[in-house]
Structure formats: C-alpha cells, structure tokens
Amino acid sequence: MKTINKPIALLCAAALLTISGCSENTVKDDNTVTSGGVSDTSEISNITVSDAAGSENNAFTEEKIMDSLNNGIIIDSVSGKLYKNELNANPISSNIFCADPTAVEYNGRLYVYGTNDHQQSEEGTKNDYAFIKSLVVFSTDDMVNWIYHGRIEVGDVAPWIYNSWAPSIVSRVEEDGLTHFYLYFSNSGAGVGVITSTDPVGPWSDPLGEPLIYQNMPGLTNCPAPFDPGVCIDENGVGWLSFGGGSPADSVHSNIPKIVRLGKDMLSLDSDFVSIDAPFFNEASELNYIDGVYYYTYCNDWQDHKKGWEEYEGFDVPPACSMAYMTTKTPLDADSWEYRGAYFYNAGENANGVSGLRWANNHTHFLEFKGTNYIIHHTLLLEELMAGTAGFRSMMVDYLPMDAKTGEIPITAASKKGVAQIKLVDPYNYNSGALMFTSADIGYEKVTDPAAKSTAKGAWIYVRGADFGYGASEFIAEVKGKGRIEVRLDDISSESVAFVEFDCPDYAKIRSDGFKQFDGRNHDIYFVFSDSDIELKSWRFGKGDEQLRPEEEIASTDIPYKTMVISGQAEPGPSPSAKYDISKNGDYSIKSSAFDKESDVINIGFINTDASAEYKVFVKSLTLETENGDVEIPVNVELDPSSNSENGLENGWCGSEIGALIYGTEDLGIFAAESDIEWIGYRLALMSGGEEIPFTSITYNITVSGLEFKD
C-alpha cells in the first residue's frame, strides 16, 4: 500500500485551506489545455491537492483545485435552441458559420480551416463576404466532436488585404526541425496571400507583406479572379499552387484556372503559369497529391452542360454547379490534365433528385485520415435549421468513396447524417471546453483559444462517445463566472451524476463533491449551465474504479428517428415551416422559417401525417418573433400525427368568430381577425391590450411522448 508521509499530508491540508472558494489567480501547470485541446495527463489524471493525503493510488502535485460550493442551485429547464441535433454529425459546428474548408493533419488531429462567414453574420447583413477578414480553425481526432480554436485575424496579421476567403493549407518539416504551416488564402477576388506558423492554431505571421498572386501580374493572363488557392506538396517536397475564378457564358473551355510550381521557400514562384482546361469551370480550386498523382478539383458553373459535352464521351454530363476533378502526373504539361468526372453533387441535389438541402456554390477538400477517405465541404444547413435566409454557410464532412488504386471517385452527395465516430473521447485527460458535438445557447468568449460560454439559462454542450473505462469519482472543470454546471449522461433530461458550483471572477479549477454511480463504459456527456455568462475552459473526470470495465463498441451515428414537419400557412409569400428529427421522448423547441410580417397567417401549424405514428405531440406554447422581441403564448393542445383531423393547431377554417380568443389570454393572445383573403374565414393575429403585433416566425415548444422504434 502506497502511503504519504505526515509532512506532505499536513502540506496538503494547508493547501486546501488556502484555496477554498475562488481565488483571484489560477496556477498554471503541466495540466493546462494544449492547442490541440488535450494534454497527456495519463500519469496524473487523478492527482490533486485535496485527494493526495487519503489516496492509495495518488501522489501530491501543485495543481490547485477548489471544492465545489453547494448553494442548492436548481436547473429546472434546459435550452431548446438546438439547431444541430444529437442525431446528425453535420454540420461540424452548431454555432459558427464557416465555409470553403481545407485541412491538415498534425500530431494525430485533423485541423480544418475555413472562411469566417460568422464575422459577416455579426454585421447583420446578407452574406456578401465584404466584412470577412479572418479565418476559423476547428480540430478533431474522432471526426464528430470538434474543438473550435477561434479566429485567425488575417486582417491584423496582414493589414494590406481586402478580405480573407477560401484558405488552403499544407505543412512541412523544415531544416530547423519544426513543422511549418503555410496557409494560403483569397485576398478577396484579387489574388492570393500566404501566412505562416509553426503551430496549427498560430500565432501567424505575414512573411511577404504583400500578395503572392495578384491580378495582371507579369505572366498571368486570362484569369479575371486569381483567387481560391489550392496547395499541395509532392513526395519530393515540392509545393504546387492552383487558383482562378470566373466563368464565361456558354463556354466549355475557359482555360481560366492556373497552376504554378512554388519555390523552395513556399513563398515564391518557380515556374510559369500553366492553364488547366477544366470544362465548365467556375471557381473553388483545390489540389491533392496522392500516390504520385496530382488531383485538381473545382466547382463547375450553373449553365446547361449538355451543350458542347459531346467531346467528353464516356462521362456523364456534370450536374449543375457540382464538383469535378482532373488528374495528371506532370502538372506543368497543360495537355496532360485528364478530366475524370463530377464527384460531388450540389447540396441541393443527390442521386434521387432534390436532396432537401438548399442549392449553393460549393468548395471541397478531400483527405485521408486514420485510413478513411473524407470530403469536407459546405452547405447552408445550419442557417436553414436556424430559419435564416442570408446565405451564411456551414462546414460539413462526408465519406469520399475513392478508389486509391484507380483514382476513380464515384459521385456522392452531402448528408445531414455525416460520418461515424472513429475513437472515443478520453474523459480522464483535460479536454477543451470548446470541444463539442453540438450545443444550445453556447458562444465563445475570446477570439483565439476560446472557452465555451453560456448565453442563456439552461444552455448546454453535448460531447458524443466518451470512454469511462474506469468509471468516475469526480468532475473537475476550469470555469469562470457564477452558477452551476451539471454533468448528465446519455440524455439531456436525465438526472445529474455530478455538478460544480462556483463564484469565480477569474478562471479556476473546481471539483465536484463526489459522483453518482453508473453502469457501462461508453457514455455521451451533457454539460448543462444554470445561468448565462458562465465560461468553461477545460474539464476532466477522475477515475472511480480500479478494474477496467468491459469494452463496448463505439455507437454509430445511424440512430433511428422520425422526421417531424410542422407547417403553417401565410398569404402571400413564403409560409412558416419547421422541420426536426425526433429520436426520443422529451421537450423540443422547433423554430419555423421566416415569413413576411404583412402576410395573413391563416394556419398556425399542422404536423405531417404518419399513419403508423404511435407517438403524441403536446404543444405547450408558441413563441412568436416580433420586431420588439419574442412573445410566448400558452397553447396546451395535444396533436396526433397519425390522424388527418387531430394533427393540427387552429386555422382559418375552424369556425371561430372574428375577435374570438384562440390561444393565450385576453390581454396577450392569438385572436381570430378579419382577413382580405376571400376564401378563408379569418386569420390568426397576435394581440396585446387590443393592439395587433405583427410576427415573422413561430417556434413550436412541444413535448413528444410514446415514441418507439421497432426492429
């Protein structure tokens, strides 16, 4: 039995007295979060000041961890503002708009970079890209849980730029023994810049102080928009750069995209520009080098591709604005580039026709990670789930069915389902607070190395698939703010197994008072926040068992669900429609698409009929979005999805008299009001104190019960 001598035990006790409550400063040690979000603490995962004196397995360290307060804070509700649900791995982020992905692997993690559409969304305008002068960084080692590393402020690093869009990255070990990262980006549509770092998340520097590629530079012709760089390094350590944009009308052969060999420093050019004859080219150049072959990918244009396609016998006509690819072994020989076909549909299309996602230009990068081929791309899915229409994009990951031996890539499509988890999260190491599969009402406090921050009461983070092989004895969180964070396993509505309470003006590590027993090994984790403005910088769990629990398979992302569509009707213009994938019983808040405030709302909403449905939907309330904020109206009506007559809320055919209260109260409610539409009896109007308040979206606050899935 390992023991601790008396002087050390006394020192531990003294340390405990010193750090009770929240201190002004947190001691930094070897357990702080690394740029990858995880540091190797396998030897000290249970070693803390407070448990050293009484433990048979632990030893003393100087890590300062404070005991949780216990003021009895109650979390009686959780946020329903969940846009990316727990069923689907796409998009990769539940709260950051980003696009035009590129990626690099480093130390067992995949780092993905993209255009920061979120910076544009913060301006409150449609996405014209004008305000974007930063890039975003995410990383993963399991393909479903992602750490948001924050923004690369390209405008600060390289103040000469117009914008920073569509990055492409490579890395190489240089003579100094360090891995150097070369991140190329579009300087608006006017050229290509490059910034460098020796760490995948920075800091970054601008080695040139000017663009590498620019319009009408010597030797560059027939390239109206020399942007969208694609970079790769071949087996000889030689770098290659492709770029270009622009699509002449009715032209199969524009010869606009270019490729050039980079100098040894990756910051200069070492050849003439060579045109790539990419049929129906539009934009989104990228490069890959795989087994001696250079792969050039691009987004083709929107025109009718049947015209002039006769010369590409043996290839299907590329779908509108799909992704296509070409290959060569000699990139500076323009005649050697071989067209290989379209390999990825536009987001709005799939093999069955219309996909259900919105149509938009795409930008892809494909890669091999841990023995599997993936394609990273973007869609408008997150914005669509948020009922927005401003054109903000979100990055996605799907499988790439590539035959590496032949180079053939059959065409596939975007999916909400995404990809499966390839490894489990280690809960005993410190993990970044910004690690998540999805979240509700979570933002970020800092631009770089951000901590997750709650933006409302009941906010939460979901981490999929953690390996609790040794159970758990405690929860330790590095936090800032005042309130409570609860740990719930597998279901957001389950009882907490541990919590920390705190009142900390600065970051401090807080430990829970014990941990409830639980069975099994692999579990999903929910972190639930009691209040807004709580920051979670890092977290880990202490081991609880001496013996390793029996191994379990990693859960698949293929979880059964029912797709619920709640449709209203507004005339004229678009009507409200809310869509959600329901996988379990519980509470949901589902926001509809937006409609014009001048429209007559003649149907508040009905659920798509499913004759085999055995579940019920209880509509607790409706939240109506107005110019002056949200207004919640109680409803308390049960709907039956299996019925054609009992699956809807009030509509203008229901026979109510003009002026009758439909839902709510006489002071604030939804009333039957006169309509100019001749074929309807009345419209549904929101009234407060006799005054009408226009509304532009509906959030359905519902409870689902009786849901079962049969084999």
Side-chain angles (χ1 to χ4, degrees):
M1 177 181 296
K2 183 183 292 185
T3 60
I4 299 178
N5 62 37
K6 186 175 181 180
I8 294 182
L10 290 174
L11 178 59
C12 291
L16 273 177
L17 292 173
T18 302
I19 62 174
S20 295
C22 271
S23 61
E24 291 298 319
N25 298 295
T26 302
V27 174
K28 298 295 180 183
D29 52 34
D30 292 337
N31 293 325
T32 53
V33 178
T34 66
S35 63
V38 179
S39 58
D40 186 2
T41 60
S42 57
E43 296 300 319
I44 56 173
S45 62
N46 275 339
I47 303 174
T48 59
V49 171
S50 63
D51 64 13
S55 172
E56 296 180 359
N57 301 312
N58 299 328
F60 175 78
T61 78
E62 294 183 357
E63 184 183 18
K64 289 188 176 180
I65 303 176
M66 291 172 285
D67 291 331
S68 172
L69 302 175
N70 193 357
N71 295 325
I73 297 174
I74 297 174
I75 303 178
D76 54 8
S77 63
V78 297
S79 172
K81 291 186 178 179
L82 177 64
Y83 302 112
K84 172 190 173 182
N85 64 33
E86 299 104 308
L87 299 176
N88 298 318
N90 278 328
I92 69 172
S93 175
S94 59
N95 49 22
I96 296 293
F97 294 120
C98 45
D100 307 320
T102 185
V104 66
E105 184 178 352
Y106 181 67
N107 283 352
R109 297 189 67 83
L110 183 68
Y111 290 82
V112 175
Y113 306 76
T115 304
N116 189 10
D117 279 19
H118 213 82
Q119 185 174 19
Q120 181 79 33
S121 75
E122 291 169 349
E123 297 295 327
T125 67
K126 288 189 177 295
N127 195 11
D128 62 5
Y129 321 117
F131 294 94
I132 302 175
K133 291 189 176 184
S134 61
L135 302 170
V136 294
V137 190
F138 291 86
S139 77
T140 184
D141 63 357
D142 63 18
M143 297 307 295
V144 298
N145 294 297
W146 295 84
I147 295 173
Y148 175 57
H149 295 284
R151 290 159 51 156
I152 302 172
E153 295 293 344
V154 184
D156 294 338
V157 176
W160 51 267
I161 69 167
Y162 303 126
N163 296 105
S164 56
W165 308 334
S168 187
I169 192 169
V170 287
S171 65
R172 187 175 67 183
V173 178
E174 303 291 9
E175 293 181 357
D176 59 6
L178 300 176
T179 300
H180 288 244
F181 297 87
Y182 300 89
L183 183 57
Y184 302 81
F185 63 91
S186 300
N187 177 29
S188 184
V192 175
V194 56
I195 56 177
T196 61
S197 177
T198 55
D199 187 284
V201 297
W204 298 87
S205 61
D206 173 20
L208 295 179
E210 61 184 4
L212 174 64
I213 303 290
Y214 53 93
Q215 288 175 317
N216 302 317
M217 65 185 296
L220 179 61
T221 59
N222 185 33
C223 192
F227 75 149
D228 281 5
V231 65
C232 71
I233 296 176
D234 64 23
E235 60 191 358
N236 299 313
V238 177
W240 300 85
L241 185 72
S242 62
F243 60 91
S247 180
D250 301 322
S251 175
V252 180
H253 307 285
S254 69
N255 287 291
I256 284 176
K258 301 293 184 282
I259 189 166
V260 64
R261 185 173 58 225
L262 293 170
K264 292 182 179 180
D265 58 3
M266 299 292 290
L267 306 173
S268 58
L269 308 180
D270 193 37
S271 76
D272 294 334
F273 299 111
V274 171
S275 297
I276 301 175
D277 186 8
F280 292 115
F281 171 79
N282 185 21
E283 60 180 6
S285 297
E286 260 286 20
L287 278 179
N288 282 82
Y289 180 78
I290 304 171
D291 295 334
V293 178
Y294 299 85
Y295 290 75
Y296 172 70
T297 62
Y298 66 97
C299 184
N300 59 47
D301 59 25
W302 292 92
Q303 63 181 292
D304 182 3
H305 295 153
K306 295 184 180 68
K307 184 179 180 180
W309 196 250
E310 299 82 6
E311 63 185 283
Y312 290 95
E313 185 178 353
F315 291 98
D316 293 334
V317 176
C321 201
S322 57
M323 299 298 302
Y325 77 111
M326 304 180 73
T327 61
T328 187
K329 292 187 176 181
T330 53
L332 294 182
D333 179 359
D335 295 331
S336 71
W337 284 99
E338 178 185 357
Y339 178 78
R340 303 296 294 272
Y343 72 98
F344 202 67
Y345 286 103
N346 190 283
E349 189 176 9
N350 59 27
N352 298 321
V354 177
S355 69
L357 297 174
R358 292 180 182 171
W359 290 79
N361 285 11
N362 210 339
H363 196 125
T364 69
H365 179 72
F366 57 76
L367 60 114
E368 180 183 342
F369 182 66
K370 307 295 184 181
T372 299
N373 290 317
Y374 299 98
I375 179 171
I376 313 176
H377 57 100
H378 68 237
T379 69
L380 297 168
L381 176 57
L382 182 61
E383 181 186 66
E384 184 178 1
L385 294 170
M386 292 180 172
T389 57
F392 299 116
R393 303 162 294 177
S394 48
M395 293 195 295
M396 316 259 284
V397 181
D398 282 290
Y399 292 112
L400 183 77
M402 179 179 185
D403 186 333
K405 293 182 180 179
T406 64
E408 296 297 323
I409 309 175
I411 191 167
T412 53
S415 76
K416 290 193 297 181
K417 186 64 63 180
V419 300
Q421 187 169 3
I422 61 173
K423 70 183 291 289
L424 294 164
V425 175
D426 184 351
Y428 307 123
N429 281 348
Y430 274 112
N431 289 278
S432 168
L435 174 73
M436 64 189 71
F437 182 95
T438 188
S439 65
D441 277 324
I442 293 292
Y444 303 98
E445 175 60 19
K446 297 187 296 179
V447 170
T448 57
D449 188 26
K453 183 178 182 179
S454 59
T455 59
K457 291 184 176 182
W460 51 272
I461 290 170
Y462 169 67
V463 177
R464 169 171 281 183
D467 182 2
F468 287 93
Y470 291 95
S473 61
E474 62 183 0
F475 167 55
I476 298 171
E478 188 174 6
V479 295
K480 180 180 178 181
K482 181 179 181 180
R484 175 184 178 113
I485 297 178
E486 289 185 356
V487 179
R488 304 180 185 182
L489 299 182
D490 302 322
D491 193 313
I492 188 66
S493 60
S494 65
E495 292 185 2
S496 68
V497 291
F499 69 86
V500 290
E501 286 188 13
F502 43 85
D503 185 357
C504 302
D506 296 304
Y507 286 118
K509 292 178 180 177
I510 311 294
R511 72 153 41 80
S512 66
D513 181 13
F515 209 100
K516 289 185 180 179
Q517 293 298 308
F518 61 94
D519 297 325
R521 178 164 173 172
N522 300 349
H523 293 278
D524 301 327
I525 305 171
Y526 290 86
F527 299 116
V528 186
F529 298 69
S530 64
D531 296 277
S532 61
D533 298 322
I534 293 174
E535 298 177 38
L536 176 62
K537 187 174 184 181
S538 66
W539 57 267
R540 72 170 176 86
F541 295 88
K543 295 178 180 179
D545 301 341
E546 293 186 2
Q547 297 296 321
L548 187 64
R549 297 182 178 187
E551 188 173 357
E552 300 171 0
E553 292 184 2
I554 299 176
S556 169
T557 57
D558 190 15
I559 300 172
Y561 59 83
K562 291 281 188 179
T563 298
M564 181 182 296
V565 180
I566 308 178
S567 302
Q569 188 171 355
E571 297 284 345
S575 294
S577 179
K579 183 177 180 181
Y580 203 81
D581 297 327
I582 306 294
S583 64
K584 58 191 176 183
N585 295 318
D587 295 333
Y588 298 88
S589 291
I590 310 172
K591 187 175 183 178
S592 78
S593 55
F595 51 90
D596 193 284
K597 68 178 182 179
E598 304 297 332
S599 297
D600 281 8
V601 177
I602 56 179
N603 177 16
I604 286 291
F606 64 90
I607 295 177
N608 55 307
T609 303
D610 179 358
S612 63
E614 297 181 355
Y615 60 94
K616 302 291 184 182
V617 176
F618 182 75
V619 183
K620 296 181 294 183
S621 64
L622 301 176
T623 301
L624 309 180
E625 184 178 10
T626 77
E627 291 182 345
N628 295 317
D630 291 344
V631 177
E632 186 172 3
I633 304 296
V635 172
N636 298 320
V637 171
E638 185 172 85
L639 303 180
D640 181 1
S642 66
S643 168
N644 285 319
S645 59
E646 298 178 9
N647 67 335
L649 296 173
E650 181 84 0
N651 61 66
W653 292 273
C654 283
S656 297
E657 295 182 2
I658 301 297
L661 174 66
I662 305 298
Y663 302 120
T665 66
E666 292 290 342
D667 291 332
L668 180 64
I670 297 173
F671 290 79
E674 290 186 356
S675 172
D676 293 332
I677 302 174
E678 294 181 357
W679 49 268
I680 197 73
Y682 52 90
R683 59 188 176 88
L684 289 305
L686 174 63
M687 307 289 290
S688 175
E691 297 291 329
E692 183 170 353
I693 305 174
F695 57 101
T696 54
S697 74
I698 305 169
T699 297
Y700 301 88
N701 304 306
I702 65 174
T703 299
V704 176
S705 61
L707 182 64
E708 294 183 2
F709 297 100
K710 299 179 180 180
D711 296 333

